Amino acid sequence: MNLRVISLWMLCYLALTCAMYFDLGEQEEKCLIEEIPGDMLVTGYFLVEHWDGENKFNSPHLGLTITVRDPNHDVLMKKRYSRFGRFTFTSHASGTHWLCMQSNSTKFSVYADARLRIHFDVQMGEHSIDPSAGRHKHTVKNIEYNLDHLRDQIIYITRQQDFQREREETFRQISEETNGKVLWWAVLQTTILLSVGFWQIKRLKDFLIAKKLV
């Protein structure tokens, strides 16, 4: 299939799925932050274009290096891709994940110092929305696919709810610990103020007695 046709098809798919897009410079790295539950399959789709709309599709340097880091900043995946494609990875722990992209260009590339437009979409679940699903002509296959996708979306929502409950529990524990520390600090301040007040009263009383004013 012609590369231009494939690129146009990929762009249409990303547009229909409400994918985001952003600019990227030569050797510049940008990261997206995603809150991902543990043991979750994540699928990403991307398409690289020249920001000014020039059709330099045949550039051998046009592409992305994608790096995925987990909440501990360990690298889950790092791979070089061409100007469009798909990548997948499975999260091992719940929390913040970094999806970082960097152009494959060098100072010798034909688009050095140019800006790139990156179309990007991330989906979660075992059966993410596959752009090739629309080519199924058989109704039963479409129904089976939709049911599988619905089931996996339910699993994904359940995992997201569990993940949010874990975050709420962690936040509640932190709030309780903070409130306890604030309470003890207030008690300590009050004790110090009372002690200083009684000490000042005693010193004043001793001074007045020494001067025989009372």
Side-chain angles (χ1 to χ4, degrees), residues 180-196:
K181 292 178 181 178
V182 170
L183 176 61
W184 283 110
W185 176 246
V187 171
L188 179 61
Q189 284 183 316
T190 303
T191 302
I192 293 174
L193 288 175
L194 291 176
S195 299
V196 172

Side-chain angles (χ1 to χ4, degrees), residues 40-197:
M40 176 64 65
L41 178 66
V42 180
T43 305
Y45 299 89
F46 64 89
L47 173 65
V48 184
E49 292 183 312
H50 290 276
W51 187 263
D52 57 7
E54 295 181 8
N55 296 323
K56 301 177 182 177
F57 293 144
N58 296 325
S59 172
H61 302 282
L62 192 60
L64 285 181
T65 297
I66 297 180
T67 305
V68 179
R69 297 183 177 90
D70 65 9
N72 298 321
H73 295 278
D74 295 329
V75 177
L76 290 179
M77 187 202 77
K78 183 174 183 179
K79 190 175 180 181
R80 291 171 62 94
Y81 294 90
S82 60
R83 62 179 305 272
F84 62 89
R86 184 186 75 166
F87 66 92
T88 60
F89 68 92
T90 302
S91 61
H92 301 304
S94 300
T96 303
H97 288 67
W98 286 264
L99 282 63
C100 300
M101 286 145 282
Q102 186 176 26
S103 66
N104 292 339
S105 66
T106 67
K107 63 181 180 179
F108 303 106
S109 67
V110 296
Y111 62 96
D113 299 325
R115 305 298 293 179
L116 299 175
R117 184 194 301 266
I118 311 298
H119 299 266
F120 197 79
D121 183 43
V122 177
Q123 300 169 8
M124 301 184 194
E126 295 293 336
H127 289 79
S128 57
I129 300 176
D130 190 343
S132 64
R135 294 179 298 180
H136 290 309
K137 297 182 179 180
H138 200 284
T139 305
V140 175
K141 289 184 178 180
N142 282 331
I143 294 175
E144 289 177 353
Y145 175 82
N146 290 332
L147 289 175
D148 289 339
H149 178 66
L150 180 61
R151 182 198 62 188
D152 293 323
Q153 286 298 311
I154 293 174
I155 295 175
Y156 166 68
I157 293 172
T158 303
R159 290 180 178 175
Q160 280 283 16
Q161 290 177 337
D162 293 338
F163 176 57
Q164 292 300 328
R165 278 194 289 267
E166 291 176 4
R167 290 176 62 88
E168 290 175 0
E169 180 65 21
T170 301
F171 179 76
R172 185 184 63 81
Q173 293 177 356
I174 294 175
S175 299
E176 291 179 352
E177 292 176 359
T178 303
N179 291 337
K181 292 178 181 178
V182 170
L183 176 61
W184 283 110
W185 176 246
V187 171
L188 179 61
Q189 284 183 316
T190 303
T191 302
I192 293 174
L193 288 175
L194 291 176
S195 299
V196 172

